[in-house]
Amino acid sequence: MATSQTTPSKLSNLQMELLKLYPYNISEEQIRDIRKLLADYFAQQVDDEMNRLWQEKNWNEQTLEGWKNEHMRSQTAE
């Protein structure tokens, strides 16, 4: 059965860096720790970007309340 997934022709710089870990046999606990480190890193990047946007756009609690009340439905063709 054919799949619709495509194989990237070039590895990203992150993939290349992670490939350097392959020669090492590490425990499942170490793998979990590395996954957590990566997740925490990217979560921090998101937090930093949101903080930047809040400052730059002068967002506040009223902004959030306004977003809650917006109707974000897309138009569908009938």
Side-chain angles (χ1 to χ4, degrees):
M1 175 180 260
T3 63
S4 62
Q5 293 180 341
T6 60
T7 304
S9 59
K10 182 180 172 185
L11 297 175
S12 72
N13 58 347
L14 176 60
Q15 290 169 319
M16 293 296 293
E17 194 63 29
L18 291 174
L19 282 173
K20 293 176 184 176
L21 295 174
Y22 278 100
Y24 304 103
N25 190 16
I26 62 175
S27 70
E28 287 298 315
E29 181 180 1
Q30 289 171 309
I31 291 172
R32 281 191 303 273
D33 290 346
I34 291 168
R35 284 182 183 145
K36 182 169 179 0
L37 283 168
L38 289 169
D40 289 347
Y41 172 80
F42 287 110
Q44 184 63 52
Q45 295 296 304
V46 169
D47 284 346
D48 292 347
E49 180 64 11
M50 285 303 297
N51 287 335
R52 185 188 69 75
L53 286 170
W54 274 69
Q55 292 295 318
E56 183 179 294
K57 307 273 187 190
N58 294 317
W59 291 343
N60 57 33
E61 293 301 318
Q62 289 176 333
T63 307
L64 288 178
E65 289 301 318
W67 289 344
K68 285 182 194 178
N69 297 321
E70 285 182 15
H71 295 285
M72 302 299 279
R73 288 185 256 166
S74 60
Q75 298 286 340
T76 57
E78 293 184 23

